């Protein structure tokens, strides 16, 4: 399926275009306009095939990340020891998704957003709130990523970034160990 979706996050001031490309690493170099980042989708059973994508992405000077669907806890060790594209996100096995694919319809993923994956890829390192704020203030970071255990904690954290003039937004997470992330971006003066 070929598709193109443009988006923006008004809060952080980031714009992106997502293109759904045909499978195969040659899709990376076949684009008239070279992408900045490539996300390769695989299952735990097919992750070895992503090494070819990473190799071509490196030749084309494009960032390459791995998205793993049909993830189960039993495959965690396999993913941690995998020597290929950096893992950007994994999606737990979900019978509703498998059924939708089998029926040829688009699955509904109510709490998962493409935006969260794209923005997190800009700053994968998680930091504590104090260290994140210091990184923005000192100019050592332009974007910071703070894990939020509970959604209720996000608003006060966003306020602390915005009070000193930075943009911040909350993104839900697919992980089961925390609710989401607050990403903040330093505003140029």
């Amino acid at each position: 399926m070929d598709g193109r979706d443009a988006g923006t996050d008004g809060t952080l001031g980031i714009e992106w275009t997502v293109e759904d490309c045909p499978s195969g690493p040659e899709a990376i170099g076949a684009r008239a306009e070279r992408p900045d980042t490539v996300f390769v989708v695989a299952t735990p059973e097919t992750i070895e095939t992503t090494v070819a994508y990473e190799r071509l992405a490196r030749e084309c000077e494009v960032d390459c990340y791995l998205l793993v669907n049909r993830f189960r806890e039993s495959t965690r060790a396999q993913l941690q020891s995998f020597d290929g594209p950096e893992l950007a996100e994994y999606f737990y096995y979900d019978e509703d998704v498998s059924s939708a694919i089998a029926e040829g319809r688009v699955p509904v993923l109510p709490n998962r957003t493409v935006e969260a994956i794209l923005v997190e890829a800009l700053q994968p390192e998680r930091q504590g709130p104090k260290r994140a704020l210091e990184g923005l203030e000192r100019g050592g970071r332009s974007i910071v990523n703070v894990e939020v255990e509970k959604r209720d904690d996000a608003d006060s954290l966003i306020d602390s970034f915005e009070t000193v003039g930075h943009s911040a937004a909350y993104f839900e997470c697919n992980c089961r160990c925390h609710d989401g992330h607050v990403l903040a971006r330093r505003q140029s003066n």
Side-chain angles (χ1 to χ4, degrees):
M1 170 173 87
D2 279 328
R4 186 176 176 97
D5 183 29
T8 185
D9 173 72
T11 306
L12 295 177
I14 297 171
E15 296 180 24
W16 58 81
T17 301
V18 177
E19 291 188 46
D20 188 16
C21 299
S23 62
E26 56 280 347
I28 296 170
R31 306 266 97 14
E33 220 177 274
R34 198 122 320 155
D36 295 316
T37 305
V38 173
F39 291 89
V40 181
V41 181
T43 65
E45 295 78 26
T46 63
I47 60 169
E48 292 300 326
T49 64
T50 66
V51 173
Y53 289 87
E54 181 185 41
R55 190 177 310 117
L56 187 55
R58 193 173 21 248
E59 289 173 14
C60 294
E61 298 180 354
V62 173
D63 292 330
C64 184
Y65 294 96
L66 176 63
L67 301 175
V68 176
N69 62 15
R70 299 185 200 160
F71 175 80
R72 294 177 191 261
E73 286 299 325
S74 60
T75 60
R76 185 176 296 279
Q78 175 192 7
L79 291 181
Q80 290 173 336
S81 65
F82 176 62
D83 186 24
E86 182 179 340
L87 180 66
E89 185 67 271
Y90 54 85
F91 298 94
Y92 282 92
Y93 177 82
D94 184 330
E95 185 60 44
D96 291 339
V97 173
S98 295
S99 296
I101 292 170
E103 295 168 7
R105 60 183 171 82
V106 176
V108 176
L109 306 171
N111 294 323
R112 301 175 190 171
T113 64
V114 171
E115 291 86 351
I117 295 169
L118 300 177
V119 175
E120 275 196 69
L122 295 172
Q123 181 46 264
E125 180 186 349
R126 278 52 161 179
Q127 299 176 320
K130 184 177 179 181
R131 186 169 166 226
L133 186 56
E134 288 171 358
L136 292 176
E137 291 295 302
R138 292 184 181 153
R141 298 272 186 191
S142 60
I143 297 175
V144 294
N145 181 349
V146 180
E147 279 186 8
V148 183
E149 233 178 274
K150 296 183 180 171
R151 172 62 180 105
D152 297 342
D153 301 333
D155 291 334
S156 63
L157 184 56
I158 290 170
D159 287 343
S160 69
F161 285 118
E162 290 178 344
T163 297
V164 294
H166 305 298
S167 298
Y170 172 79
F171 294 90
E172 290 184 338
C173 187
N174 185 43
C175 299
R176 295 180 180 175
C177 55
H178 58 271
D179 284 351
H181 299 259
V182 169
L183 288 112
R185 183 176 187 201
R186 182 177 66 237
Q187 293 301 308
S188 41
N189 298 331

